[in-house]
Amino acid sequence: MTGSQEIRAPDLSLLTIQQDSQYDFLFYLNFICSQSASLIKIFLCSGMPVDWLVKTMQARGLEVFTQTFSRTLPFPDENKERYMVKGTNVYGILRAPRAPRTEALVLSAPCTQGDHNNQAVGLLLGLAQYFRNQIYWAKDIIFLINEHDLIGMQAWLEGYHHTNTTGMDWSPLQGRGGSIQAALSLELSSDVITSMDLVLEGLNGQLPNLDLANLFYAFCQKIGVLCTIQGKLQRNDWDSVSGYSHSVQTMMLMVMKQASGRPWGDHGLFLRYHIEAATIKGINSFRQYKTDTNTIGRLLEGMYRKLNNLLERLHQSYFFYLMPSLSHFVSIGYYMPAFGLLAVILLLRALDLWVQLASPPPGTEDGVVDTEQMWSPDVLSVLTPLVISHLTGVALYYLPIHFQKMALEHFPVSDTEAVVLTAIAVYTAGLALPHNTHRFVSGEGTEHGWRVLKLVAVLYLAVLLGCTALINFSLGFILALTLVPVAAFVTPHVPKVPSAFVLVILSPACTLLFSVFFFQELQEVPISFQDGWVLYLSVISQGILDHSLYGSLVYPLIALLVYPCWLLFWNILFWE
Amino acid sequence: MKILTLWSLFSTYLLASSLNIENHAAQFFSSGHTNNWAVLVCTSRFWFNYRHVANTLSVYRSVKRLGIPDSHIVLMLADDMACNHRNPKPATVFSHKNMELNVYGDDVEVDYRGYEVTVENFLRVLTGRLPPSTPRSKRLLSDDRSNILIYLTGHGGNGFLKFQDSEEISNVELADAFEQMWQKRRYNELLFIIDTCQGASMYERFYSPNLMALASSQVGEDSLSHQPDLAIGVHLMDRYTFYLLEFLEDIHPASKTNMNDLFKVCPKSQCVSTPGHRTDLFLRDPGSVLITDFFGSVRKVEITMETINLTDPIEQVEQSPVNGELQKERNSYVDQLPVSEIIHQKPKQRDWHPPDGFILGLWTLILLVFFKTLAFQETAVGSKPPYRVQ
């Protein structure tokens, strides 16, 4: 046993560490982890050791089942180096000794090749053995080891809940627990750690209930394990400038991660099924005080005991929040008014345009003839840019994937690059639209025409941003920050070149580019421009892949809705 | 001579003792109750309300230990903690941490369990209005010589007690139930103990005689739990009942501790909340009431070799006042529901009140009209000149 084990915090009513049997647990854990970790190190070079895992879990008294899945990605994923993915998930169910099989908890560890997560599987097996000897479980516990991290997890969840939303090919699950109440995913790469990092952001920016984060943090404090969020330790000096900026940085990191819409841990896919889940990562940095696997095991055992005592799903605390640190949060009631104020700008502009349109234009003498002329080309003049912009958006959505073969024939690039560069090409081609579509627009040149178009575009943008902010606040807010100013001020009469430049700089693609650099800055790993550009291309490819693999909504939202909206403003700028 | 004195002494002694026996007999038959009952209710379910079940079971244990048999105890537990899936020590309910005392035991008899613990069932048990098919173990078969102990615990508030997370019993309902019991002569004396938040509000509305009430906290205060057990993972007992249990563990069937000691259980320093009690409806002085009058079933046994003549009417022994002060005046029942005001009947007024506002206004109006017409007549009359100018 290493490290001091005194408990410093006041008693929590859910605290459940059994002091006298600690020795048994530690003994088991020591033995099992050392064995498992070394064995897994041998096997992991060649894929997941399915048979060994099945045998080991069965030896621990779990009901073991496997699930095979396969998926061909639309184009190769260069980050994880996979294209045609085939894998097997292994999961063992620990049945509650006295309870009916109506509820379940999940502990998962993604098994990836190499040394990335070797310790987690060993810890999981040790915990399985310890848990099997206890009689106080009121819910089944499912120990899941998924291959190919998110893809395997998606296959397992789809199989468990009998849904098939992403077109993956998986074998049906032979064994099942009850309805899953909570899940924890474990990522542990070293056998000693200095701190545990809590990852909350899930698919489409969804977050677990704040109670889960509070539970974990309170228990970490009680055990004496350092706990971080976004990889940053929290500071005690809230009043000083540096302390405040530290927490702002932490919060901005969370905003960036949430806006990307991708699941930042295996837990991210559970949230869609209304299962509260979080990922716990062990971080080994250059600190002197290390925590060993035994304490991590105690931590997880305590967490599961707490989740076991729950009588209903976690629902009492907030589902929408931002965390500047683990002990502070900003709830939706505080941050939504900020977004509301931005949306009000758009609504005021729309009101202004409506009033301008309704009042007769100055300087007309024969009002009767002019009014007739004014109101007739309304629909036509607006519909054409709308349709053309949305068709460009649809092209941006479909062309990159479907025409990658054609791109490959003509250009010497790899598959992924072909897709990404096609996307950028379509995006840039859209910029040339206003000059080409003037032939089709009949209401060209009138003051009235662009006002109507701008009214429609502004209202459209307001509704779009509102809906986005409701689902994924960070994405909605970032888009609002960049798009609302230009949307409000763009007219055909502002100076063309500077405003075109500003409009392009604040378009979604460039916002993404700047966000990439900003994100790296926040994580204190600043990168050069070339590396940033490569990272930017990989972010675009990840976005497209996330959409086809897990159903992330960021890429279709940007391509089909935000980009056409932006194109409308581009049209307005070049109206004559 | 000696024999004569001895014999005279002996005879006087016998005479005195026989007189004493008569006195004793008078005292023996003048005591209040002949049997004891207990109704112990735990009203909350779910694992984290373990302490309420432990509270009730610890009072059950004390009551049984002091002599009340299971046939005279109605035990109502709203949830099963001993066999809950989360209990790491199945078939046990502990009241002290480190598992020192298992109050579940081997011979616990639960009469109303789980979802049978409802407000309706509780009130039916108290008032005796149960369907004919109810077994004896679920009935409170008390008579007018029964001393009843009623213990309630759970989650409560100002004026109510929550049953099973879905319904409530209010203090008015409880007071009315006790009044029904009094009118049906279902109790001789009743001790009511409640261990919930704001427990004192539950006995505020009592108006039947011979009720004594204790509560763990005053209105506006919360009753707190005592200590968690780290292996079981929940709080085991509430503070008030924990100290009550400790107090009761020292009581044995022959002890002479009285109610004044019970009122001192769990002062604010230990309980954090202020326990309260109510004795104004109780006809005896609390100092003369033994704990075993309610918590135990003590049979009075006197062994004598004398024959006692019971044909004479038993004289009521005049109990001298404790402090030597004058006898208090007769208690009158508190008028809880002023029916007369509700049905708009004026109660007989002892002192004169000025007439009602409406009547006053009506009279004023009549007077005004009268004087106005009079004035009008006068002006009408006065318009005509009283004399002609010649």
Side-chain angles (χ1 to χ4, degrees), chain B residues 215-234:
Chain B
S216 60
S217 57
Q218 301 294 329
V219 175
E221 284 181 347
D222 288 338
S223 289
L224 303 177
S225 56
H226 188 57
Q227 47 181 240
D229 180 278
L230 296 182
I232 300 179
V234 285

Side-chain angles (χ1 to χ4, degrees), chain B residues 148-163:
Chain B
I148 307 184
L149 166 72
I150 297 188
Y151 177 81
L152 291 174
T153 183
H155 288 289
N158 191 355
F160 67 91
L161 171 63
K162 185 171 75 157
F163 267 69

Side-chain angles (χ1 to χ4, degrees), chain A residues 33-191:
Chain A
C33 282
S34 50
Q35 281 212 331
S36 322
S38 52
L39 281 170
I40 284 186
K41 265 189 185 152
I42 295 171
F43 281 120
L44 268 182
C45 305
S46 55
M48 198 160 92
V50 173
D51 295 327
W52 181 84
L53 278 172
V54 167
K55 213 159 38 94
T56 322
M57 280 197 188
Q58 271 174 346
R60 276 150 182 70
L62 308 178
E63 295 178 13
V64 189
F65 306 95
T66 57
Q67 179 201 29
T68 53
F69 60 91
S70 70
R71 175 74 199 242
T72 309
L73 271 62
F75 53 90
D77 181 359
E78 279 181 0
N79 283 11
K80 302 225 172 98
E81 287 163 16
R82 55 191 182 190
Y83 179 48
M84 296 175 65
V85 172
K86 257 201 210 351
T88 318
N89 293 330
V90 179
Y91 64 102
I93 307 181
L94 169 72
R95 298 288 183 193
R98 294 174 284 149
R101 299 174 180 185
T102 48
E103 293 173 346
L105 298 169
V106 174
L107 176 61
S108 79
C111 185
T112 51
Q113 289 193 339
D115 279 351
H116 180 63
N117 205 17
N118 49 1
Q119 300 296 323
V121 179
L123 182 59
L124 191 139
L125 293 171
L127 278 174
Q129 177 149 17
Y130 181 70
F131 283 6
R132 185 71 179 88
N133 291 333
Q134 309 305 318
I135 57 166
Y136 45 68
W137 299 114
K139 307 180 185 176
D140 294 344
I141 303 187
I142 303 178
F143 294 92
L144 169 67
I145 300 176
N146 49 329
E147 199 173 354
H148 300 293
D149 46 86
L150 284 166
I151 300 182
M153 183 60 85
Q154 179 71 18
W156 191 80
L157 280 171
E158 282 186 356
Y160 199 88
H161 293 101
H162 306 293
T163 60
N164 198 336
T165 51
T166 56
M168 208 183 298
D169 205 10
W170 37 263
S171 63
L173 295 183
Q174 303 295 319
R176 217 178 165 274
S179 96
I180 304 178
Q181 305 287 300
L184 282 179
S185 175
L186 199 57
E187 286 180 29
L188 205 59
S189 315
S190 55
D191 53 352

Side-chain angles (χ1 to χ4, degrees), chain B residues 29-198:
Chain B
F29 287 105
S30 73
S31 70
H33 69 286
T34 59
N35 55 66
N36 284 85
W37 286 82
V39 179
L40 311 173
V41 185
C42 159
T43 59
S44 43
R45 53 172 40 239
F46 304 135
W47 172 243
F48 48 82
N49 289 324
Y50 184 102
R51 59 189 186 277
H52 296 141
V53 172
N55 287 351
T56 317
L57 284 173
S58 54
V59 176
Y60 171 78
R61 171 208 152 73
S62 312
V63 149
K64 219 162 131 164
R65 190 176 53 82
L66 291 172
I68 304 185
D70 272 318
S71 55
H72 282 229
I73 303 178
V74 178
L75 179 61
M76 304 169 82
L77 296 179
D79 201 359
D80 182 12
M81 294 307 163
C83 298
N84 194 311
H85 314 307
R86 293 168 181 80
N87 195 345
K89 301 271 183 244
T92 58
V93 172
F94 293 109
S95 61
H96 287 62
K97 68 173 179 188
N98 300 325
M99 294 172 258
E100 283 169 14
L101 180 58
N102 174 18
V103 289
Y104 200 65
D106 293 331
D107 56 351
V108 63
E109 240 181 62
V110 183
D111 301 307
Y112 286 84
R113 64 196 63 193
Y115 286 109
E116 290 172 354
V117 178
T118 56
V119 174
E120 184 193 341
N121 281 349
F122 176 58
L123 292 177
R124 281 186 186 279
V125 162
L126 287 183
T127 54
R129 290 206 177 89
L130 289 160
S133 56
T134 320
R136 278 182 78 90
S137 60
K138 285 189 166 171
R139 289 179 188 261
L140 178 66
L141 297 165
S142 55
D143 53 24
D144 65 325
R145 283 284 181 221
S146 311
N147 273 10
I148 307 184
L149 166 72
I150 297 188
Y151 177 81
L152 291 174
T153 183
H155 288 289
N158 191 355
F160 67 91
L161 171 63
K162 185 171 75 157
F163 267 69
Q164 300 264 14
D165 220 22
S166 62
E167 50 181 5
E168 298 165 355
I169 185 172
S170 65
N171 48 2
V172 177
E173 281 179 342
L174 198 57
D176 287 341
F178 288 155
E179 175 64 12
Q180 283 190 55
M181 288 174 80
W182 173 251
Q183 289 187 6
K184 289 164 82 162
R185 296 288 178 266
R186 277 170 69 79
Y187 70 90
N188 175 36
E189 284 165 352
L190 198 146
L191 177 63
F192 174 78
I193 306 183
I194 184 161
D195 188 353
T196 63
C197 301
Q198 307 193 51

